[in-house]
Amino acid sequence: MTYPNAGAEKNGSLTIAEFESRLAGEWLGSSFSGVKSLIAVSGGADSVALACGLSRIVGNSKQLILAHYNHGWRGEESDGDAEFVEALAGKLGLAYRVGGLDSRQSNESQVWRSEEAARDLRYEFLVQCAYQIGARSIATAHHGSDRVETSLHNLFRGTGVSGMRSIQKLRPIDEELILVRPILGFSRQQILDYLRALGQEYRTDVTNEDDQFKRNFLRLEILPKLRERYGPSVDQHLIGFADIAEDLDQMLAELAGKYLVDCDAHYAKFHDKQFPEAYFSIPSARNLPVHWPVLHKALQIKWAEFDWPLGSMHSAHWIQFRKAHRDCTKEDSGFVSNLPLNLLLRMDQGWLHICPQSAGGSNMN
């Protein structure tokens, strides 16, 4: 077991009352107050603080259910995390759900281990649990420091404006479920101070100190150097930029939505030759001018509508699409390129069509 450091820095620290007052402001006035919510708890400091804080301000134990997913990667330590969360649920008087693999099953499993694969498995479990108990939301313990790390992580991976938004406070996670992050506005130190003030213990995951994981490398190696060189306010500067990126992304989404409406109207009015095999069609820049960031956002919206993973589209694919959109004329017709997910980009009389590869074409990737 680990206890919060009694010598922790006091910068920006909050009393128990101040912490819970801010948390109550985030939670009690929301649409999640008075309905069932699933709280994802790993056993670490952040999720333990979230579980304790919500249980103290909500009061009604029937509204909150703890859920823990055991990946089993650390053997007996992973099993100990599950036991700790079960004991915490009993202490708080809350129901508890657990899923995943125990240490023996994990050792026998041939499933490839990665941060992304682990997250997918965990969220799949959380969604299933939420529906089983009739919850409307899933609460996770992402905080302000996570937002800083995610912004840098996405930047170094080559993200656009959407990725620089970093972690959002609210987002749909399934058709009838919302993912909510009530302590996104709190720093890691404020969370530790809160647990120390409560005298509440938590678990420490030793893999969080392994800098082979990219997120750990940013937290352990890069961010400390940035703070040393640029000052401790670098975190707030990055969060401020993430807020600007969020506003810009919302603006692009609005412009992209209007553009897609214009595309449909333009198609109905000017494109007399139908292309029945296409999933959707986009007029060339000469037919309907648009700035690339707006078109890129519109394409992302269409990808989401068809449930196509954006991660399969690399920068080369978008560059190819942008060039075809810019150069396509009414005289151009035929195959342009294969895209991931067995998709095909075709030109036809000044239009770009996204089609299944059964529509024809040669592999040019």
Coordinates of all heavy atoms in Angstrom, one line a residue, residues 15-70:
T15 N -8.1 22.2 0.6 CA -8.6 21.4 1.7 C -9.6 20.4 1.3 O -10.1 20.4 0.1 CB -9.2 22.4 2.7 OG1 -10.4 23.0 2.1 CG2 -8.3 23.5 3.1
I16 N -10.0 19.5 2.2 CA -11.0 18.5 1.8 C -12.3 19.3 1.4 O -12.9 18.9 0.3 CB -11.3 17.6 3.0 CG1 -10.1 16.7 3.3 CG2 -12.6 16.8 2.8 CD1 -10.3 15.9 4.6
A17 N -12.7 20.3 2.1 CA -13.9 21.0 1.8 C -13.8 21.7 0.4 O -14.8 21.7 -0.4 CB -14.2 22.0 2.9
E18 N -12.6 22.3 0.1 CA -12.5 23.0 -1.2 C -12.5 22.0 -2.3 O -13.1 22.2 -3.4 CB -11.1 23.8 -1.1 CG -11.2 25.0 -0.2 CD -9.8 25.6 0.0 OE1 -8.8 24.8 -0.2 OE2 -9.7 26.8 0.3
F19 N -11.8 20.9 -2.1 CA -11.7 19.8 -3.2 C -13.1 19.3 -3.5 O -13.6 19.3 -4.7 CB -10.8 18.7 -2.7 CG -10.6 17.6 -3.8 CD1 -9.4 17.7 -4.6 CD2 -11.5 16.6 -4.0 CE1 -9.2 16.7 -5.6 CE2 -11.3 15.6 -5.0 CZ -10.1 15.7 -5.8
E20 N -13.9 19.0 -2.4 CA -15.2 18.4 -2.6 C -16.2 19.4 -3.1 O -17.2 19.1 -3.8 CB -15.7 17.7 -1.4 CG -14.8 16.5 -1.0 CD -15.2 15.9 0.3 OE1 -16.1 16.4 1.0 OE2 -14.6 14.8 0.6
S21 N -16.0 20.7 -2.8 CA -16.9 21.8 -3.3 C -16.7 21.9 -4.8 O -17.7 22.0 -5.5 CB -16.6 23.1 -2.6 OG -17.4 24.1 -3.1
R22 N -15.5 21.9 -5.2 CA -15.2 22.0 -6.7 C -15.8 20.8 -7.4 O -16.4 20.9 -8.5 CB -13.8 22.2 -6.9 CG -13.3 23.6 -6.7 CD -11.8 23.7 -7.0 NE -11.4 23.2 -8.3 CZ -10.2 23.2 -8.8 NH1 -9.2 23.7 -8.1 NH2 -9.9 22.7 -10.0
L23 N -15.6 19.6 -6.8 CA -16.1 18.4 -7.4 C -17.6 18.4 -7.5 O -18.2 18.0 -8.5 CB -15.5 17.2 -6.6 CG -16.0 15.8 -7.2 CD1 -15.5 15.6 -8.6 CD2 -15.4 14.7 -6.2
A24 N -18.2 18.8 -6.4 CA -19.7 18.9 -6.4 C -20.2 19.8 -7.5 O -21.2 19.6 -8.1 CB -20.2 19.4 -5.0
G25 N -19.5 20.9 -7.7 CA -19.9 21.9 -8.8 C -19.8 21.2 -10.1 O -20.6 21.5 -11.0
E26 N -18.8 20.3 -10.3 CA -18.7 19.6 -11.6 C -19.8 18.5 -11.8 O -20.2 18.3 -12.9 CB -17.3 19.0 -11.7 CG -16.2 20.0 -11.8 CD -16.1 20.7 -13.1 OE1 -16.6 20.2 -14.1 OE2 -15.6 21.8 -13.1
W27 N -20.2 17.9 -10.7 CA -21.0 16.7 -10.7 C -22.5 17.0 -10.4 O -23.3 16.6 -11.2 CB -20.5 15.7 -9.8 CG -21.1 14.4 -9.9 CD1 -22.1 13.9 -9.1 CD2 -20.9 13.3 -10.8 NE1 -22.5 12.6 -9.5 CE2 -21.8 12.3 -10.6 CE3 -20.0 13.2 -11.9 CZ2 -21.8 11.1 -11.4 CZ3 -20.0 12.1 -12.7 CH2 -20.8 11.0 -12.4
L28 N -22.8 17.6 -9.3 CA -24.2 17.7 -8.8 C -25.1 18.5 -9.8 O -26.3 18.2 -9.8 CB -24.2 18.2 -7.4 CG -23.5 17.3 -6.3 CD1 -23.7 18.0 -5.0 CD2 -24.1 15.9 -6.3
G29 N -24.5 19.5 -10.4 CA -25.3 20.3 -11.3 C -25.4 19.7 -12.7 O -26.1 20.3 -13.6
S30 N -24.8 18.6 -13.0 CA -24.8 18.0 -14.3 C -26.0 17.1 -14.5 O -26.8 16.8 -13.5 CB -23.5 17.2 -14.5 OG -23.6 16.0 -13.7
S31 N -26.1 16.6 -15.7 CA -27.2 15.7 -16.0 C -27.0 14.3 -15.4 O -27.9 13.4 -15.5 CB -27.4 15.5 -17.5 OG -26.2 15.0 -18.1
F32 N -25.9 14.0 -14.8 CA -25.6 12.7 -14.2 C -26.0 12.7 -12.7 O -26.0 11.6 -12.1 CB -24.1 12.4 -14.3 CG -23.6 12.7 -15.7 CD1 -22.7 13.7 -15.9 CD2 -24.0 12.0 -16.8 CE1 -22.2 14.0 -17.2 CE2 -23.6 12.2 -18.0 CZ -22.7 13.2 -18.2
S33 N -26.4 13.8 -12.2 CA -26.9 13.8 -10.8 C -28.2 13.1 -10.7 O -29.1 13.4 -11.4 CB -27.0 15.2 -10.3 OG -27.4 15.3 -8.9
G34 N -28.3 12.2 -9.8 CA -29.6 11.5 -9.6 C -29.8 10.2 -10.4 O -30.8 9.6 -10.3
V35 N -28.8 9.9 -11.2 CA -28.9 8.7 -12.0 C -27.7 7.8 -11.8 O -26.7 8.3 -11.2 CB -29.0 9.0 -13.5 CG1 -30.2 9.8 -13.8 CG2 -27.7 9.7 -14.0
K36 N -27.7 6.5 -12.2 CA -26.6 5.6 -11.9 C -25.4 6.0 -12.8 O -25.6 6.3 -14.0 CB -27.1 4.2 -12.2 CG -27.9 3.6 -11.1 CD -28.2 2.1 -11.4 CE -29.0 1.5 -10.3 NZ -29.2 0.0 -10.6
S37 N -24.2 5.9 -12.1 CA -23.0 6.1 -12.9 C -22.0 5.1 -12.5 O -21.9 4.7 -11.3 CB -22.4 7.5 -12.5 OG -23.3 8.5 -13.0
L38 N -21.2 4.6 -13.4 CA -20.2 3.6 -13.2 C -18.8 4.4 -13.1 O -18.5 5.2 -13.9 CB -20.1 2.7 -14.4 CG -19.2 1.4 -14.2 CD1 -19.8 0.5 -13.3 CD2 -19.0 0.8 -15.6
I39 N -18.1 4.1 -12.0 CA -16.8 4.8 -11.8 C -15.7 3.8 -12.0 O -15.6 2.7 -11.4 CB -16.7 5.3 -10.3 CG1 -17.9 6.2 -10.0 CG2 -15.4 6.1 -10.1 CD1 -18.0 6.6 -8.5
A40 N -14.8 4.1 -13.0 CA -13.7 3.2 -13.3 C -12.6 3.5 -12.3 O -12.1 4.6 -12.1 CB -13.2 3.5 -14.7
V41 N -12.2 2.4 -11.6 CA -11.2 2.5 -10.5 C -10.1 1.5 -10.7 O -10.4 0.3 -10.7 CB -11.9 2.3 -9.1 CG1 -10.8 2.5 -8.0 CG2 -13.0 3.3 -8.9
S42 N -8.9 2.0 -10.9 CA -7.7 1.1 -11.0 C -7.1 0.7 -9.7 O -6.5 -0.3 -9.6 CB -6.7 1.8 -11.9 OG -6.1 2.9 -11.2
G43 N -7.4 1.6 -8.7 CA -6.7 1.4 -7.4 C -5.6 2.5 -7.2 O -5.1 2.6 -6.1
G44 N -5.3 3.2 -8.3 CA -4.3 4.3 -8.2 C -4.9 5.5 -7.5 O -6.1 5.6 -7.3
A45 N -4.0 6.5 -7.2 CA -4.4 7.7 -6.5 C -5.5 8.4 -7.2 O -6.5 8.8 -6.5 CB -3.2 8.6 -6.3
D46 N -5.5 8.6 -8.5 CA -6.5 9.4 -9.1 C -7.9 8.8 -9.0 O -8.8 9.5 -8.7 CB -6.1 9.6 -10.6 CG -4.6 10.0 -10.8 OD1 -4.2 10.8 -9.9 OD2 -4.0 9.7 -11.8
S47 N -8.0 7.5 -9.4 CA -9.3 6.9 -9.4 C -9.8 6.7 -8.0 O -11.1 6.8 -7.7 CB -9.3 5.6 -10.1 OG -8.4 4.7 -9.6
V48 N -8.9 6.5 -7.0 CA -9.4 6.4 -5.6 C -9.9 7.7 -5.1 O -11.0 7.8 -4.4 CB -8.2 5.9 -4.7 CG1 -8.6 6.0 -3.2 CG2 -7.9 4.4 -5.1
A49 N -9.2 8.8 -5.5 CA -9.7 10.1 -5.1 C -11.1 10.4 -5.7 O -12.0 11.0 -5.0 CB -8.7 11.2 -5.5
L50 N -11.3 10.0 -7.0 CA -12.6 10.2 -7.6 C -13.7 9.4 -6.9 O -14.8 10.0 -6.6 CB -12.5 9.8 -9.1 CG -13.8 9.8 -9.9 CD1 -14.3 11.2 -10.0 CD2 -13.5 9.2 -11.3
A51 N -13.4 8.2 -6.6 CA -14.4 7.3 -6.0 C -14.8 7.9 -4.6 O -15.9 8.0 -4.2 CB -13.9 5.9 -5.8
C52 N -13.7 8.2 -3.8 CA -14.0 8.8 -2.5 C -14.8 10.1 -2.5 O -15.7 10.3 -1.8 CB -12.7 9.0 -1.7 SG -11.8 7.5 -1.3
G53 N -14.3 11.0 -3.4 CA -15.0 12.3 -3.5 C -16.4 12.2 -3.9 O -17.3 12.8 -3.3
L54 N -16.7 11.4 -5.0 CA -18.1 11.2 -5.4 C -19.0 10.6 -4.4 O -20.1 11.0 -4.2 CB -18.1 10.5 -6.7 CG -17.6 11.2 -8.0 CD1 -17.8 10.3 -9.2 CD2 -18.4 12.5 -8.2
S55 N -18.4 9.6 -3.7 CA -19.2 8.9 -2.7 C -19.6 9.8 -1.5 O -20.7 9.8 -0.9 CB -18.5 7.7 -2.2 OG -17.4 8.0 -1.4
R56 N -18.7 10.7 -1.2 CA -18.9 11.7 -0.1 C -19.9 12.8 -0.5 O -20.6 13.2 0.4 CB -17.6 12.3 0.3 CG -16.7 11.3 1.1 CD -15.3 11.8 1.3 NE -15.2 13.1 2.0 CZ -15.0 13.2 3.3 NH1 -14.9 12.1 4.1 NH2 -15.0 14.3 3.9
I57 N -19.9 13.2 -1.7 CA -20.8 14.3 -2.1 C -22.1 13.8 -2.6 O -23.1 14.5 -2.4 CB -20.2 15.2 -3.2 CG1 -20.0 14.5 -4.5 CG2 -18.8 15.8 -2.7 CD1 -19.5 15.4 -5.6
V58 N -22.2 12.6 -3.2 CA -23.5 12.1 -3.7 C -24.3 11.5 -2.5 O -25.5 11.8 -2.4 CB -23.2 11.0 -4.8 CG1 -24.5 10.3 -5.1 CG2 -22.6 11.7 -6.0
G59 N -23.7 10.7 -1.7 CA -24.4 10.2 -0.5 C -25.2 9.0 -0.8 O -25.2 8.1 0.0
N60 N -25.9 8.9 -1.9 CA -26.8 7.8 -2.2 C -25.9 6.7 -2.8 O -25.5 6.7 -4.0 CB -27.9 8.2 -3.2 CG -28.9 7.1 -3.4 OD1 -28.7 6.0 -3.1 ND2 -30.0 7.5 -4.0
S61 N -25.7 5.6 -2.1 CA -24.8 4.5 -2.6 C -25.4 3.8 -3.8 O -24.6 3.1 -4.5 CB -24.6 3.5 -1.4 OG -25.8 2.9 -1.0
K62 N -26.7 3.9 -4.0 CA -27.3 3.2 -5.1 C -27.0 3.8 -6.5 O -27.2 3.2 -7.5 CB -28.8 3.0 -4.9 CG -29.2 2.2 -3.7 CD -30.7 2.1 -3.6 CE -31.1 1.2 -2.4 NZ -32.6 1.0 -2.3
Q63 N -26.5 5.0 -6.4 CA -26.3 5.8 -7.7 C -24.9 5.5 -8.3 O -24.6 5.8 -9.4 CB -26.5 7.3 -7.5 CG -27.9 7.7 -7.2 CD -28.0 9.2 -7.0 OE1 -27.1 9.9 -7.3 NE2 -29.1 9.6 -6.5
L64 N -23.9 5.0 -7.4 CA -22.6 4.9 -7.8 C -22.1 3.4 -7.7 O -22.4 2.7 -6.7 CB -21.6 5.7 -7.0 CG -21.9 7.2 -6.9 CD1 -21.0 7.9 -5.9 CD2 -21.8 7.9 -8.3
I65 N -21.5 2.9 -8.8 CA -21.0 1.5 -8.8 C -19.5 1.6 -9.2 O -19.2 2.3 -10.3 CB -21.8 0.7 -9.8 CG1 -23.2 0.5 -9.3 CG2 -21.1 -0.7 -9.9 CD1 -24.1 1.6 -9.9
L66 N -18.6 1.0 -8.5 CA -17.2 0.9 -8.9 C -17.0 -0.2 -9.8 O -17.6 -1.3 -9.7 CB -16.3 0.7 -7.6 CG -16.4 1.8 -6.5 CD1 -15.3 1.6 -5.5 CD2 -16.5 3.2 -7.0
A67 N -16.1 0.0 -10.8 CA -15.7 -1.1 -11.7 C -14.2 -1.1 -11.9 O -13.5 -0.1 -12.0 CB -16.4 -0.8 -13.1
H68 N -13.6 -2.3 -11.9 CA -12.2 -2.5 -12.0 C -11.9 -3.6 -13.1 O -12.5 -4.6 -13.1 CB -11.6 -2.9 -10.7 CG -10.1 -3.2 -10.8 ND1 -9.2 -2.3 -10.7 CD2 -9.5 -4.4 -10.9 CE1 -8.0 -2.8 -10.8 NE2 -8.1 -4.2 -10.9
Y69 N -11.0 -3.3 -14.0 CA -10.5 -4.2 -15.0 C -9.1 -4.7 -14.7 O -8.2 -3.8 -14.6 CB -10.6 -3.7 -16.4 CG -10.4 -4.7 -17.5 CD1 -11.5 -5.5 -17.9 CD2 -9.1 -4.9 -18.0 CE1 -11.3 -6.4 -18.9 CE2 -8.9 -5.9 -19.0 CZ -10.0 -6.7 -19.4 OH -9.8 -7.6 -20.4
N70 N -8.9 -6.0 -14.5 CA -7.6 -6.5 -14.1 C -7.0 -7.1 -15.4 O -7.4 -8.1 -15.9 CB -7.8 -7.6 -13.1 CG -6.5 -8.2 -12.6 OD1 -5.4 -7.8 -13.0 ND2 -6.6 -9.3 -11.8

